[in-house]
Every structure is written in C-alpha cells, then in structure tokens.
Amino acid sequence: DLEAAAKGYFALLEPNSYPPHTKAEQESKSHTVSGKDAWYYQVRLNFPQARARGWNFTREIATIIVVDQGSDRPATFYLSVPDSHPNQGDADLLISSLKAG
C-alpha cells in the first residue's frame, strides 16, 4: 500500500526532524512517476513558537513521494521547504522532474 508507505515514512521522520509543531494534511493522492504507480503525500507543519524564538520561518511544507519499484521497498523522495524560502514553486519543478528507472 503506497499511501501507507508514504505516511509511515513521514511518521518515522517527523519526531526527530522537526521542533514542536502542529500538522495539517494538504494532499494525499495517487501519483505516477515515469509511468510507475506512486503516492504523493504533503503536510503543512506550523510552528507557533517561531516568532517568539526569532525564527525566520513559521511553517514548512513537507512532501513525500513513494514509487513502486516492483520490490518490497518503494523508492522514496522527501522534500521539506520552510516558508522562508522565497521560491516555493521550485518544489513543483523538482517533483515534476522526478524519474524512476
């Protein structure tokens, strides 16, 4: 199940990769990469303590794409971009350029 793999991968990363936050699912949908079945999972993380701590970001968009490679383990793409990054659209460019062998 690619959806479970994408969400499970994020659940493994989340506790050790981010300071305290709230989370809102943005998208969870079937996807394809090079004609292969894939799953696209995106969440928005909000950091309510950011301004008080002087951070230059208040939220972050994390995207995970898992691609069925015909084995027990899918290929995985992970991207996390804070809102301090001026070119959020670059994420779409990266995602659209993914290729699977």
Side-chain angles (χ1 to χ4, degrees):
D1 180 1
L2 293 173
E3 180 178 18
K7 290 180 177 183
Y9 186 76
F10 186 73
L12 289 173
L13 289 171
E14 186 178 11
N16 296 315
S17 298
Y18 301 99
H21 60 276
T22 60
K23 175 174 67 175
E25 186 174 293
Q26 298 297 289
E27 289 187 74
S28 185
K29 63 184 181 181
S30 179
H31 191 71
T32 59
V33 175
S34 299
K36 296 186 179 210
D37 290 339
W39 197 266
Y40 178 102
Y41 180 61
Q42 186 176 78
V43 296
R44 183 184 70 234
L45 307 172
N46 296 303
F47 304 97
Q49 72 279 29
R51 294 220 190 277
R53 294 191 178 175
W55 298 347
N56 68 344
F57 64 96
T58 58
R59 65 183 178 170
E60 193 154 328
I61 301 293
T63 305
I64 293 178
I65 298 174
V66 294
V67 182
D68 185 356
Q69 293 291 326
S71 65
D72 291 342
R73 302 180 96 186
T76 305
F77 173 81
Y78 166 66
L79 176 68
S80 194
V81 182
D83 63 354
S84 60
H85 190 284
N87 297 312
Q88 292 287 318
D90 289 350
D92 293 334
L93 180 63
L94 285 170
I95 291 165
S96 68
S97 71
L98 291 177
K99 304 273 187 261

